[in-house]
Amino acid sequence: MAYISIYDATPLDEHQLTALLQPTDHYWTYCRDQIALDNLHPESEIISVFIGSTVTREIIERLPRLRLIACRSTGYNNIDMAAAREHGITVVNVPSYGERTVAEYTFALLLSLTRKLQATTQAVQAATYDQAAIMGTDLAGKTMGIIGMGRIGRHVAGIARAFGMEVLVYDPYPDETAARELSVELVSLDELAGRSDIISLHSPYTGDNHHLINDAFLSKAKSGAILINTARDELVDTRALIDALRTGRLAGAGLDVLEGEQLLKLDKELQVLNKDTLSGKTSAQSLQLDVLKRFANVIITPHNAFNTIEALERINRTTADNMIRFWYGETPNAVSAPDTRPGKLVIARHGESEWNAEGRWSGTRDVHLSEKGFHEAALLGQAVSDIQFDIAFTSQQIRTFETMSGMLDSIQQFDVPYRRDTALNERDYGEYTGLNKWQVKEKLGEDVFRHLRRDWDYPVPGGESLRMVYERAVPFYRQVILPELLSGKNVLVVSHGNAIRALVKYIEDISDEGIGGIEMLFGSILIYDVDHDGRMQHKRVAHIRTTPPNA
Ligand code: NAI
């Protein structure tokens, strides 16, 4: 079960994600706002954000349990990827959900400009219009220049061809087969600039294409061309764009993304305004937005090209799938994953103790291994000699410590750090401690004796039921051992029959009734691959040759 915090959640996101997560046992909360230092849940193991949220290093460092950032977008440059990698956090995205959606929107912007829809509807409202002023231009016969022919660019090309347009494409990684199939011409960036009536951006922002559309590019553009940007704000130098619009080199621009787009919301604008210091960049962007809004031949929309009910459904479906499958150890759509897979979990029962040899219940009493027990410890080690251990855990009883040391010494892994903890102690047998179990059996009768040894919650006078052992061992496993596994470490746990049964109940998800049938035999070793909840994904059991002690 994961604690999931979902930010930037609209009522539609809530409705769709709740339906998709409902069948799981994850716990999730929604927050309408963008992620910020004051709305973090420190328990979060997964966060999901939309493009408006910026996941900074500081946010990542305030979430100690965070394992996954699920972007509900294709782009992920709103995440501090270096910080995510350093903290072993996986980042997933939604690689495709709206190629047709964005392509359709590209033409919505384009047709609004070429057919002067804004001016036309305003003229109708004013009930006075001059036909010449609202005259448009055809698309058929014009040349469309597409920069970046990936998923979206291809659909734009297809629609443009359907309009009867000629299509030019610039892509540094051109797909010649697709170009042939779509009947488009692959050209250089300069040629595209010089020949296109419409230039449409569909490439990602890669850093080295910062301000790809700049003074130099626009000076080569055909006079009267139209620019459409539904890709990324950083691709266009807004100052150069304003210049080109002012001089008439560009006849119009349709901008769904533009520098400073966050300032299109009044509350963001006010937030910025209320800051003590305003950066030069923010002031310039704010002013440029203001100027652009005054051009009649410019349409600005607020990063809205993806926004259809069908596309949002696809985003939420992929995001839910990303989060659910991650918890089972899969990383579909990972854009950055730590190269650590969970380590191996090896659980061994200690070798025979001196009291085991006599058939006495040791409980939490300290009893050393018998000679046979030391020999068994060496054999247990050799059964897992193929695993290089990074850390070991034992109970506080000396017999598990002696077994662990014997195991590791026998395979010459001398420097493995270890921790001894009461959480892994043997079940406290209370009044029965030190008694011979066969005498106890005779006294209590077969039935009671069986319940006492095997049942989930059978009381022991002055001692612990298995449930009580579970309540200390499993939280320790989840909080202390599991993070070690998830950071890629191979972990050895040497403990006792009942503490191991408690762990196995959790790891293998065994019912309260089912645990009665689970026995941790002397000489057996359990080797698990686990998921992010520490539950079994795969199990192997190794055995050593040993005669059972008098147990
Ligand atoms: P994609 O990854 O399928 O295709 C991108 C194409 O651009 C590839 O063919 C690649 O070779 C090409 N490319 C890479 N660097 C380039 C460069 N420097 N110049 C020209 N082409 C270059 O991406 P997809 O899904 O087609 O998305 C394209 C853009 O659209 C992305 O930046 C994405 O963020 C943006 N987008 C915008 C949305 C909106 O709501 N406005 C919604 C979804 C995506």
Side-chain angles (χ1 to χ4, degrees), residues 97 148 150-152 171-173 202-204 209 230 232 256 303 306:
Y97 61 90
R151 285 173 288 239
I152 296 171
D171 193 311
Y173 313 101
H202 301 288
S203 94
N209 59 7
T230 57
R232 276 289 175 259
D256 185 48
H303 207 144
F306 70 93

Side-chain angles (χ1 to χ4, degrees), residues 223-528:
S223 188
I226 288 174
L227 178 75
I228 306 287
N229 189 7
T230 57
R232 276 289 175 259
D233 54 345
E234 301 96 328
L235 295 175
V236 177
D237 177 352
T238 313
R239 191 206 45 73
L241 170 68
I242 291 172
D243 253 13
L245 287 164
R246 195 177 49 77
T247 60
R249 178 159 290 275
L250 285 184
L255 308 170
D256 185 48
V257 290
L258 73 167
E259 291 176 310
E261 65 194 40
Q262 65 283 2
L263 298 171
L264 290 172
K265 274 197 170 159
L266 183 63
D267 58 343
K268 281 284 160 213
E269 215 172 17
L270 291 175
Q271 250 178 36
V272 170
L273 202 60
N274 288 335
K275 277 192 181 161
D276 288 345
T277 52
L278 205 56
S279 80
K281 187 174 157 198
T282 309
S283 317
Q285 286 179 344
S286 164
L287 202 57
Q288 285 167 349
L289 277 182
D290 226 39
V291 171
L292 275 175
K293 282 188 219 162
R294 291 171 208 264
F295 282 97
N297 53 350
V298 171
I299 296 183
I300 296 174
T301 58
H303 207 144
N304 192 48
F306 70 93
N307 192 9
T308 65
I309 191 158
E310 294 85 355
L312 288 167
E313 222 282 322
R314 287 189 289 268
I315 290 178
N316 284 327
R317 189 168 288 284
T318 306
T319 300
D321 191 54
N322 282 346
M323 298 191 294
I324 294 167
R325 287 173 62 190
F326 176 79
W327 219 247
Y328 286 106
E330 295 174 39
T331 48
N333 306 320
V335 289
S336 162
D339 30 69
T340 45
R341 299 191 143 274
K344 294 268 180 218
L345 170 64
V346 175
I347 302 182
R349 187 174 179 180
H350 64 80
E352 183 195 73
S353 73
E354 289 167 347
W355 280 17
N356 289 140
E358 296 169 15
R360 293 166 72 188
W361 260 327
S362 330
T364 52
R365 201 71 64 78
D366 244 350
V367 184
H368 288 279
L369 291 184
S370 67
E371 209 171 303
K372 178 168 172 257
F374 279 110
H375 177 63
E376 285 170 345
L379 292 178
L380 286 168
Q382 280 150 30
V384 286
S385 61
D386 56 324
I387 298 172
Q388 180 65 46
F389 291 102
D390 298 297
I391 188 163
F393 293 91
T394 72
S395 71
Q396 284 208 320
Q397 279 86 57
I398 192 78
R399 55 193 182 276
T400 57
F401 177 73
E402 287 171 342
T403 303
M404 176 201 73
S405 308
M407 285 179 75
L408 295 173
D409 286 356
S410 77
I411 50 176
Q412 300 187 12
Q413 294 187 21
F414 301 116
D415 299 322
V416 176
Y418 63 86
R419 173 165 167 183
R420 299 172 69 178
D421 201 284
T422 50
L424 295 174
N425 275 3
E426 174 57 308
R427 175 175 173 185
D428 185 345
Y429 272 110
E431 287 179 9
Y432 301 126
T433 306
L435 298 185
N436 179 297
K437 45 184 88 160
W438 311 128
Q439 285 168 2
V440 175
K441 182 175 172 184
E442 215 164 285
K443 191 166 151 216
L444 299 179
E446 178 114 17
D447 236 23
V448 175
F449 182 73
R450 188 167 38 78
H451 286 308
L452 176 73
R453 290 190 68 210
R454 292 281 153 253
D455 280 11
W456 167 236
D457 202 13
Y458 200 84
V460 173
E464 292 176 302
S465 66
L466 182 59
R467 182 182 57 74
M468 292 156 86
V469 178
Y470 182 98
E471 282 167 3
R472 60 173 158 82
V474 171
F476 181 75
Y477 169 67
R478 283 178 53 90
Q479 284 154 27
V480 180
I481 298 178
L482 185 57
E484 301 285 0
L485 287 165
L486 294 181
S487 71
K489 291 185 184 163
N490 293 327
V491 176
L492 172 64
V493 174
V494 183
S495 186
H496 309 262
N498 282 302
I500 294 177
R501 287 173 71 222
L503 292 177
V504 167
K505 181 177 191 307
Y506 175 80
I507 294 168
E508 299 189 21
D509 204 8
I510 294 167
S511 67
D512 295 356
E513 297 73 38
I515 195 63
I518 300 295
E519 175 88 84
M520 181 64 194
L521 296 171
F522 274 104
S524 298
I525 308 179
L526 309 176
I527 303 156
Y528 290 105

